Amino acid sequence: MHVFTMSIKRLLISGLLAAASSAVLAQQADSTAVAPAAVSKRNNNDLKISGIVKEAATGKALPAISVSVAGYSAALTDDKGRFSISVPDYHALLIVSSIGYQVKEVALKGKTDVTVALFEDAYSSVYDEAVMPFGNKSRNQSVYAAASVNTRGTWNRASETPDSYMQGMFAGLNVQRRSGTPGIGADLMLRGYNSLYARNSPLLVVDGMIYDTDTYSSSLISGHRTNHLANIELKDIDNITVLKDGSSIYGTRGSNGVILITTGRAKEEATHLDFAAYSGFNAKVENMPVMNAGLYKSYLSDLLATQPGITSSQIQTMPFMSESPGPYYYTYHQNTNWQNKVIDNGYNQNYYLKVTGGDNIATYALSMGYQSNDGLIANTGLNRYQTRFNANLNLSPKLKARVNLAFTRSEQDLRDQGSAFDTNPMYLSLIKAPFLTSHEVSENNILSPNTAGVDLFSKSNPYAAIDGIQQVNRNYRFMGSAGFDYSFSDAFSLNALVGLTFDKVRENTFIPEIGISPVALNTAIAYNRPGASVERLYSIYTDSWVSYKYAINSSNKITANAGFRFNNSKSESDYGLAYNTASDDFVTLGSGESSLRVVGGNLGQWNWLNTYLNVDYNSLNKYFLSFSIAADASSRFGKNIDNALTLAGNKYAVLPSVGAAWLLSSEQFMARSKAVETLKLRLSYGVSGNDDIGNYNAKTYYISQNFLGREGLVRGNIGNSGLQWETVSKANAGVDAAMFNERLNISLDAYQHKTSNMLIYQSVYAAGGFSTALSNSGAMKNRGLDLSMSGRIINKEKLKWDLGINLSRNRSEVTKLPDDNIITAYGSATMITRVGDAANLFYGYKTNGVYLSDEEAAASGISNKLANGTIVPLQGGDVRFADINNDHLIDENDRVVIGDPNPDFTGALSNSFSYKRWSLGALFTFSSGNDIYNGIRADLESMSGYENQTPAVLNRWRADGQVTNMPRAVWGDPAGNSRFSDRWIENGSFFRLRTVSVDYDLPFKAKFVKSATVYAIANNLFTVSKYLGYDPEFSASGSIFTRGVDIGLEPQFTSIQLGVRVGL
Amino acid sequence: MNKNLSGLFRKLIPVICFFALFSSCKKTFDIEPEDALETKQMYRNVYDADAIVLGIYGKFMSLAKQYVLLNELRGDLLDVTANADAYLKELNTNNVSQGNIYADPRPFYEVIINCNDALKHFALMHDSHLLNDEQYYQRSTDIGILRSWLYLQLGIHFGSVPYVTEAVEDINDLNNTALFPKLSFDQLLDSLIQYTDQIPDKYLNQNTSSSSPTLIMAMDGYIVKDGVFKFFIHRKSLLGDINLWKGNYLKAATFYKAAMETATFLSTTSDYQIDLYDTYRISNDRTGKNTLLTNGTANPWANIFSNILYETETNRERMWTLPFDAAFAPSNPFVDLFSASRSYLVKPSALSIANWEKQERLDNGGLNDRRGINASYGGYTGQPEVLKYTRTYDATLPYKTTGVWILYRAATLHLRFAEAANRLGHNKLASVLINDGILTGYNGKTSEIAAPFDFDGTNGTTIKGNWYRSIGIRGRALNKNAVVDSARSFDMSVSPRVLVSQSNLTQDTEDLILNEAALETGFEGYRWPDLLRIALRREKESAGSGIRFMNERMAAKFANSTSGTPKAFTQVSDFYLPFKWN
């Protein structure tokens, strides 16, 4: 033990440990532990070089900076910044590092005197360490397209979840926030989507454990998804590394790339305590324009007149039209701004405490946090409690252990969003008649405390939707793991990680009778509705591997890792729905009418085995080769897969990858180039897989089918014993360069992904007895470019300005389908997926204004063919749909592609200024060239029912000859004017000021306070967009078949926070 | 301490090895689903076999709507209302386009694929003694005959169809075209006859609760007797039907007769009430209680369609019924289809109403509704409604939709027997059965003595023939006998008259039977098949006559209808719908 402690101390002095500012993973500790042996060899030859280390911003010499040649020698700079060090030859690689400064690699290229300029450690540099599956690696030496961010605490990004935090951080990672609901997170898509029906989000690995973010049941609350990634507190995260390729080491889970997340551990033994508190304000969004009571009334009387069999005198006697006083006069003569009733300003709070410390045997990091965040919809909000304990244990000189324990609990009040037309308060607030109000009104216009009931149009009361409805989502996740590293020798070590995930989501809902429209069930009318659901995930994960290091000679080294991962997961979901409790005060399932109860759920279990081998070869620190291969078995795979490796009757997916990099700038011929500091060319090709093919789809199975009350069994599918993983091959070519002494860093990647064996619900001919069967019969490809540039624009001692740009372009193309095309529908939109195009293009009708008159409509010779086949002649004021096939009938054969929800470019612009003790960060995100179907506007301009509409309908066609783009108002829309057409397709491009933060380091000189910083943070300050809906950024579900369809989710809103962080 | 912990680590090595071992085990990668059953978890005992049978019938029930629409709307008795969509309108005029949702064979194949699966595995279970002979044959006969019923329907509507009889279990089976032989309607009938011929005779009787106590048992308020028992397909009647379609008239008549004589050979059991003189014989039991006999003050005939399932007298008529219970899925599709207070998509055609209006009563005066207005249909102002499906439905109780789907009944049986007999020259017997029955028609035994055309209607004081109560289809409805125009077939100038044209007599009698079917069984799902069968038969006799027959029928339907123009049939293949492969 003593020897070990000594070596640690020496290392501390040399400052090497500080270089590892991110997680202290075992492998790193290993490499540092090797150092003393190397130091003793320093005098084997007489080759020496010297140099000077300066600060990049000021040019002043830096003392006590560590300079070393890995495994050979080490030195410190003197007070003039000079150093002198033994080198094995004049082409060695120097590593320069120190606390507070970046790490830098310097290739000598024959020079004997070098000048090194160091930036501060926060500077984003090509030498930053990336956390790789088998230990940390300088990004400069990586052969794969990997990007890494050391978060440095993210103190200026309170209340974000890890997924939304990643927005704009990585080129190629498209982060699309799902909605404005607190904690709802974002959909992650790395370099486009590689699959139609299987998972498209990257694999998440947290501290070595696969982090399951899938949901195993749909929420009872419309439009909601439980975001499991929110269970990781952002401030706990030290490093995020995105592996865009080379992910075949994760076998059939790596096809969408891998995101490695490392949570914080103690960086030193001394006890540190950080406490942060934030509090802020959530501003409600601007109201959507809708008609007021007067306009609505006149619109409604026009519309009602088109109802068959209604006379104008009947309209005039309707209670809202009648001007004669009566007991209900005031009930129908209000002017209510319903949006103000359901959308609310809110508050947010966030507290976080982190303690780190320990001794030479054990170090620990303990964090605890609490946050509350109000949602945009009144009476909604999130409360979350979180705690994490990470410890490193030096059990013996050879044996080290790591423990990670995390527990998070959330409770969130929610309301229906999206297509829940009777209960979604935001939707109801838009369409509800403005002449009504939220409470009952007396004959004398006195508002009663009683909530108004369902109105005479059978529309729910939006106020009842926020006040009477109860919808709660409670979620907790425990994740714990223990890892052991045992070093047999300097070369050999054995590593093991065993972990457990337990996750539970419980939802309770109650829809009251008062104020909410009843729903018709098969056997009764449901007035009020309790519901409850539980979703559980239980997962065991192990990863065991041996590491081997071998130096062929001083300049050729091999490292290899071989091992296996095993994952057993069980999921369960159960739900119960009940109807018609005795009154709205009985809200439990048990109080519903017994004959109407519905229960259901499902169970799943799957096993996954991933065996892998990885060999890295480094020659002269400038040629790098990496080879990986994985062989996966899974309980999901079929037993009759052609051409697959078979062992003991199980089929294995064999997935290799190879990558090479050439650090061009370390070559002698680049020695004279002053501009180019580093230049690296990368080339990689690999195959990985996607195992998200369903737990049991390879089997032929039977499901229950009732015959009256007896349960029988019928076939549930046509099995596919050849069902296999999707295969994605990835080719990548990239350049990493650092210019002008790292003032400008550029990374550019071009890639092509080809998915084969893509899962398709293939249509089966009628005599097959099923409409579809699952098969691996599709293919698609993705091509794209990722560009990331960063640089320091201003580099003065007191003023620094860093600018970063990420730009991604991805084009995807479906290349093979078993059927002609796939038509899908979501909301009221229809989409087409066909060979030769990107998946999920909007597929609808083209329009060209409206017919000016009945004569013009008749003259066109075109009629409408409705979905049920009825042919309806057109009239003046009907939309002029394009008759694409010239058959004089507007029907589904006239549909064409009218939009593409996939953006041409996405990216971000990040700025960070620092001036003395002030710093300012501003992140802009943008998306360009994507189309959105504005489903809400389609509802608000369809002019076919009692729904209130936008003022745009005032411009509707009313008389022959009127030139307008807004069709006539007609009850029930018999001409299908509001059908899915390019009228509702809008440009979804946007440019947004995503986050701004200003912080000020207080010049504090108290005894116990080490530091204190004050933060001001603002999110979503402004968005530049032509989109007419609330917000162009949303994602209704993870499926690509719902992309770009705006069904009305809670929009993003502006929030501001003030916070303080105190370090003790 | 460190040493101990290293020891701990050493203990961990076996754990890791255990995982390695565990993961190489085959079972690890073969996990049984917990909310579905794999094939290997199925077919282990008779209960599994029962579950399969129940599942198939559960699925079968979802065909009701399509079955009635295909068979009636294509015929001449049912017409569309203004609410009907284009698909129904197409069906109505027989101008059916590809993609019409009602002309989709897939729902039938969804049941067939389950039948095939069941038949394959029942045989395997039998081979491995998991089912004894009785258990095996009862179940496989039932499912095999049900599958034949489904194929007969497919043949009727689509002409040539793939005759799939092997289980389709894996997606690769779909590529095996040998599993999907496409047969013409005629070949299909041959195959169906070939298949049903190999069923042992003893299993052609209905399955009983004593043979299959685990399958036929009371459920959800439905008792076995005349309830659950009759949920299963009536076997002999279907065999009769297949042979009738094929033109094997003697064989058909033999099967029908066996069904008509059910009471001669069987007696009341816990499965069904059997009354020697009444069951399936269209009788008047002379007790004054017979609830189906129309008299001067009551027209209880319509109770066939509304009585509760186990009502005794009604069950002398009902042979195969399935209940649509409001408490269980699938919900009753008929209420929505036919009720004027609901979607009301189809209504009686003007032709069918006019046909009922033409009925001549046996009595003078009394009730004027017979089987027409207020019985088969309701004559609501401007909205005539098919009452056979909505009699128990009350618009003020929209959720009380419990009803019954009658798939076969004695009148159908008698009409079909008459059709076969007529084709074999037993013209009188045929008309006696549809008119006023054996007793009146023959006053004793039939003149035809060869089975199956021998009926004993002896009504002695002590000796009663089994058929003495039979009063015929028109007799039961108190309708005057329908007669052919003798002048077309007989030389009337001599006495006794001499038959000069057997073919005219046969054809005229066939027309009588067809018209009687319209009056008696209209809207029940037999009309298009009846028309088609006769059209095909006549076309075979004399090219063009069948086409003409069908065109005339359709012209008559649309003579007083504004709902479209019927398709002009020019060849036999025009009778069939396009088969939607995908």
Side-chain angles (χ1 to χ4, degrees), chain A residues 297 319-334 435 441-443 445:
Chain A
K297 240 185 251 185
F320 50 89
M321 298 304 292
S322 155
E323 289 303 322
S324 53
Y328 296 108
Y329 178 81
Y330 287 108
T331 303
Y332 294 105
H333 290 80
Q334 306 285 333
F435 55 66
V441 181
S442 80
E443 206 170 332
N445 202 13

Side-chain angles (χ1 to χ4, degrees), chain B residues 6 30 53 99 120 244 366 399 562:
Chain B
S6 307
D30 190 9
V53 175
K120 172 189 167 178
L244 182 66
Y399 290 105
T562 52

Side-chain angles (χ1 to χ4, degrees), chain A residues 395 699 702 709 715 765-766 868, chain B residues 2 30 86 117 168 174 220 581:
Chain A
L395 301 174
K699 299 170 186 290
Y702 295 76
R715 282 277 298 278
Y765 42 84
N868 65 12
Chain B
N2 290 334
D30 190 9
D117 202 79
V168 176
L174 295 172
D220 308 301
W581 275 88

Side-chain angles (χ1 to χ4, degrees), chain A residues 209-221:
Chain A
M209 280 258 293
I210 286 185
Y211 192 90
D212 192 327
T213 53
D214 285 353
T215 50
Y216 295 97
S217 68
S218 52
S219 173
L220 292 180
I221 304 159

Side-chain angles (χ1 to χ4, degrees), chain B residues 129-145:
Chain B
H129 305 291
L130 295 171
L131 293 179
N132 62 32
D133 281 2
E134 180 73 15
Q135 290 169 336
Y136 166 65
Y137 279 110
Q138 287 299 359
R139 284 161 187 78
S140 61
T141 302
D142 194 282
I143 296 305
I145 288 185

Side-chain angles (χ1 to χ4, degrees), chain A residues 425-614:
Chain A
M426 291 196 67
Y427 170 79
L428 288 169
S429 75
L430 295 171
I431 59 99
K432 180 80 170 179
F435 55 66
L436 296 166
T437 191
S438 57
H439 290 75
E440 288 175 2
V441 181
S442 80
E443 206 170 332
N444 307 318
N445 202 13
I446 295 166
L447 220 56
S448 120
N450 295 339
T451 305
V454 175
D455 63 28
L456 77 170
F457 307 135
S458 303
K459 300 289 181 209
S460 302
N461 178 354
Y463 178 77
I466 54 154
D467 189 60
I469 290 180
Q470 303 169 30
Q471 294 180 312
V472 187
N473 173 299
R474 296 182 184 90
N475 168 223
Y476 70 79
R477 174 170 286 211
F478 168 78
M479 192 160 165
S481 67
F484 301 90
D485 311 322
Y486 187 83
S487 309
F488 291 99
S489 65
D490 288 348
F492 259 115
S493 68
L494 176 66
N495 310 268
L497 177 75
V498 182
L500 184 76
T501 304
F502 186 75
D503 191 287
K504 187 167 171 181
V505 182
R506 176 181 281 281
E507 288 185 339
N508 291 83
T509 63
F510 181 76
I511 314 288
E513 175 179 358
I514 294 170
I516 303 293
S517 308
V519 293
L521 307 176
N522 280 333
T523 55
I525 290 174
Y527 294 98
N528 63 23
R529 299 169 254 167
S533 74
V534 178
E535 175 196 320
R536 290 167 200 270
L537 169 72
Y538 175 77
S539 167
I540 300 176
Y541 179 75
T542 69
D543 187 355
S544 314
W545 73 101
V546 286
S547 298
Y548 176 65
K549 291 179 188 140
Y550 177 66
I552 301 167
N553 53 40
S554 67
S555 49
N556 288 284
K557 291 172 194 126
I558 285 176
T559 56
N561 297 281
F564 71 90
R565 304 183 175 102
F566 181 75
N567 187 196
N568 165 260
S569 300
K570 287 178 190 159
S571 68
E572 175 184 343
S573 81
D574 310 284
Y575 68 87
L577 303 172
Y579 302 94
N580 295 348
T581 68
S583 83
D584 285 352
D585 297 323
F586 293 88
V587 299
T588 58
L589 279 184
S591 46
E593 211 174 295
S594 60
S595 62
L596 299 178
R597 269 176 223 147
V598 180
V599 293
N602 56 63
L603 295 167
Q605 190 182 351
W606 63 102
N607 285 330
W608 175 69
L609 173 74
N610 163 245
T611 54
Y612 56 84
L613 167 71
N614 153 255

Side-chain angles (χ1 to χ4, degrees), chain A residues 641-653:
Chain A
I641 302 168
D642 292 338
N643 308 321
L645 172 70
T646 309
L647 291 174
N650 294 314
K651 298 290 178 182
Y652 282 77

Side-chain angles (χ1 to χ4, degrees), chain A residues 136-204:
Chain A
N136 298 2
K137 205 170 214 172
S138 157
R139 269 175 49 207
N140 202 32
Q141 301 196 352
S142 167
V143 302
Y144 292 120
S148 189
V149 164
N150 291 316
T151 60
R152 294 170 214 287
T154 65
W155 301 98
N156 55 358
R157 297 289 292 273
S159 328
E160 294 241 18
T161 53
D163 38 6
S164 65
Y165 168 76
M166 282 188 259
Q167 189 166 44
M169 293 278 173
F170 303 97
L173 182 69
N174 183 16
V175 177
Q176 193 162 11
R177 287 184 290 172
R178 291 164 182 157
S179 71
T181 307
I184 191 96
D187 282 347
L188 306 178
M189 229 181 263
L190 192 53
R191 295 183 159 180
Y193 42 82
N194 296 304
S195 174
L196 294 179
Y197 294 100
R199 186 189 304 110
N200 269 309
S201 55
L203 180 73
L204 281 151

